[in-house]
Amino acid sequence: MKKILIINGPNLNLLGKREPGVYGGQSFELYFEELVAAYPQVELAYFQSNSEGAIIDKIHEKGFSADGIVLNAGAYTHTSIAIADAIRSVTTPVIEVHISNVFKRETYRHHSYLSEACVGCIVGFGLKSYKLAIEAFVNN
Ligand code: DQA
């Protein structure tokens, strides 16, 4: 059974309430239940933190045993060399995801420190971005 971990960064605990015009009206907890039901052949886990260090610790903890990490680092995407280094430090491949199409938004969202360290990026498909990332790991 493949082990895939989804990590959500800052403010993503407020999905469903936070800027619904940008991020949609569904909470991640509910969406995660849908994912678990859709992929009975996958051991899916979910972690969210608003703290950069906690995200790094989780990447270190699971990054040598999980088969894939799906990471939405939120705004840390655009600021965190430390998270990029954590991704480079582990053996588990990481896919960067974003709910919104960051390239259609403010220019400060156009640059990601993480993309270079990731195997791929999925951007702009709403919550479906996570499903597409899981598909990439499962059909691989
Ligand atoms: C986001 C995009 C980031 O720019 C933003 O800071 C987020 C969410 C997304 O999923 O679209 O928090 O990562």
Side-chain angles (χ1 to χ4, degrees), residues 10 18 23 72 74-75 78 98-100 102 105 109:
R18 171 196 185 197
Y23 299 113
N72 184 349
H78 317 299
H98 298 287
I99 297 163
S100 63
V102 285
R105 301 181 63 194
R109 296 185 203 276

Side-chain angles (χ1 to χ4, degrees), residues 5 7 53-65 69 82-83 85-92:
L5 169 67
I7 300 179
I55 294 167
I56 292 167
D57 287 342
K58 187 54 80 174
I59 292 169
H60 291 177
E61 183 192 326
K62 300 292 181 187
F64 296 92
S65 56
I69 293 176
I83 294 178
D85 281 349
I87 295 168
R88 289 191 186 94
S89 302
V90 299
T91 52
T92 297

